[in-house]
Amino acid sequence: QVQLVESGGGLVEPGGSLRLSCAASGSITSINAMGWYRQTPGKQREMVAGITSGGSTVYGDSVKGRFTISGDNAKNTVFLQMNMLKPDDTAVYYCNAVRVVTSTSDYPEVWGQGTLVTVSS
């Protein structure tokens, strides 16, 4: 079984920074891509940033220039550095992994439980 465990959420003032981490555990052979999504009550889940195993990245328009995604393939971990945070960034942030291959199974998609980020003064 594969699990994604997020950490690093919390309360920060506008203009501040936070760094989220997500570690995948299990007998993992490979992960095609990992990323971050966010969701607020009443809204659809929004793609924040993604990174492939080859290092290609993609960002949502609302976070370009402020957020940076990075990964450590050897540790099956992905990070999201969030700078210049705004109140509109307040949301539950979910880690996502695409095409996770283990010694016994092949998972098309895996989600973490989410970590709350609150940007407020």
Side-chain angles (χ1 to χ4, degrees):
Q1 187 176 359
V2 175
Q3 287 189 319
L4 301 182
V5 179
E6 302 111 329
S7 61
L11 173 64
V12 64
E13 292 186 347
S17 298
L18 278 177
R19 187 178 191 236
L20 305 183
S21 300
C22 171
S25 62
S27 302
I28 296 171
T29 301
S30 65
I31 301 175
N32 189 50
M34 297 185 75
W36 293 93
Y37 287 71
R38 67 186 182 187
Q39 189 169 24
T40 54
K43 292 187 177 181
Q44 286 190 328
R45 195 167 290 189
E46 172 191 19
M47 192 278 290
V48 176
I51 185 168
T52 68
S53 58
S56 297
T57 59
V58 62
Y59 294 93
D61 288 340
S62 62
V63 307
K64 285 180 181 176
R66 300 187 297 123
F67 292 9
T68 302
I69 190 169
S70 60
D72 184 336
N73 290 339
K75 296 182 179 180
N76 296 317
T77 300
V78 65
F79 307 97
L80 185 69
Q81 179 65 42
M82 304 185 293
N83 298 328
M84 296 182 287
L85 282 160
K86 306 174 183 179
D88 284 349
D89 295 317
T90 296
V92 177
Y93 284 70
Y94 295 91
C95 182
N96 169 266
V98 175
R99 183 70 195 285
V100 181
V101 180
T102 71
S103 56
T104 58
S105 298
D106 188 334
Y107 299 84
E109 194 170 41
V110 181
W111 289 93
Q113 294 295 314
T115 184
L116 177 62
V117 172
T118 303
V119 184
S120 175
S121 55

